[in-house]
Amino acid sequence: KTTTITRRIALQVASRAFQPGQIVAVTFTDKAAGELRSRLRTLDADGVRASTFHSAALALLRHFEGDPGRILPSKAPLLRRIGNSLPGAFRFRPAGDLATEIEWAKNRRLTPETYRDWLGDHEPPLPPDLSLRVFREYERRKGESGAVDFEDLLEGAVRLLEEDTAARALVRENWCAFTVDEYQDVNLLQQSLLDLWLGDRD
């Protein structure tokens, strides 16, 4: 698969369909992105942006708005402290379960204000009122510490491009061709960012 992806991109460069700097290849891990860059160099396609969605979002935020703040490498330590304040047996829920639920919500562009309204058939790891409490407290403490998580990077880039027409036009002028590794795993937040990069182009 990686061979197919990298040779397709190299053909775009060799045929002069696009300049290397106009091509964006996104994947889900830093390791996979590094592998793409390494293979593209050997195919004379150096200069293609190959990164994770989060790294691309961070680059946009830094370019247009400055540093977004300290990036949390993991939600677990903060959520462990929040979880320890929950009542009864609920305080023993693994922090990973709480992190997965917050990521589920944020990847759907939900906030603590909209979370309960959009649960539908989804079953959180805690009763909905406690899940909301954890989500709200997580966002509050994270904000007070000046930190952002990986979903905040994506949401920030989406918000930037939705609201700033000049930034959106500049991105679309410079980023013209897109390859998405493991596209079937793209979530709503990542798709929203991809759609803003793409615009009405094919």
Side-chain angles (χ1 to χ4, degrees), residues 90-111:
F90 295 118
R91 71 168 55 102
F92 299 110
R93 283 306 292 216
D97 289 353
L98 305 181
T100 297
E101 180 64 11
I102 287 175
E103 288 162 8
W104 175 89
K106 297 183 79 166
N107 284 334
R108 286 159 179 78
R109 304 194 71 188
L110 302 180
T111 66

Side-chain angles (χ1 to χ4, degrees), residues 53-166:
F53 274 101
H54 301 103
S55 293
L58 177 59
L60 290 175
L61 289 172
R62 283 178 170 162
H63 180 80
F64 290 106
E65 295 186 340
D67 198 314
R70 178 175 61 88
I71 301 171
L72 286 178
S74 169
K75 297 177 180 66
L78 177 54
L79 286 171
R80 198 168 290 117
R81 292 193 293 274
I82 295 170
N84 287 341
S85 68
L86 293 175
F90 295 118
R91 71 168 55 102
F92 299 110
R93 283 306 292 216
D97 289 353
L98 305 181
T100 297
E101 180 64 11
I102 287 175
E103 288 162 8
W104 175 89
K106 297 183 79 166
N107 284 334
R108 286 159 179 78
R109 304 194 71 188
L110 302 180
T111 66
E113 290 69 40
T114 60
Y115 171 76
R116 287 288 298 270
D117 294 336
W118 289 91
L119 278 178
D121 295 333
H122 174 73
E123 294 186 12
L126 299 171
D129 59 326
L130 288 181
S131 286
L132 174 59
R133 173 173 153 186
V134 169
F135 188 10
R136 183 179 288 125
E137 185 64 11
Y138 168 80
E139 289 295 300
R140 185 186 70 78
R141 294 193 192 187
K142 174 172 59 67
E144 286 181 352
S145 71
V148 295
D149 61 26
F150 291 117
E151 290 74 33
D152 292 333
L153 297 179
L154 297 176
E155 181 63 40
V158 168
R159 174 193 44 75
L160 164 71
L161 297 178
E162 284 178 340
E163 297 174 359
D164 189 330
T165 55

Side-chain angles (χ1 to χ4, degrees), residues 135-197:
F135 188 10
R136 183 179 288 125
E137 185 64 11
Y138 168 80
E139 289 295 300
R140 185 186 70 78
R141 294 193 192 187
K142 174 172 59 67
E144 286 181 352
S145 71
V148 295
D149 61 26
F150 291 117
E151 290 74 33
D152 292 333
L153 297 179
L154 297 176
E155 181 63 40
V158 168
R159 174 193 44 75
L160 164 71
L161 297 178
E162 284 178 340
E163 297 174 359
D164 189 330
T165 55
R168 188 168 65 244
L170 188 60
V171 167
R172 290 178 184 174
E173 179 183 334
N174 286 281
W175 291 1
C176 302
F178 304 92
T179 296
V180 183
D181 187 21
E182 304 287 2
Y183 178 74
Q184 73 278 0
D185 294 330
V186 167
N187 61 45
L188 175 63
L189 190 49
Q190 292 160 336
Q191 183 67 54
S192 298
L193 185 56
L194 183 61
D195 288 341
L196 285 162
W197 291 344

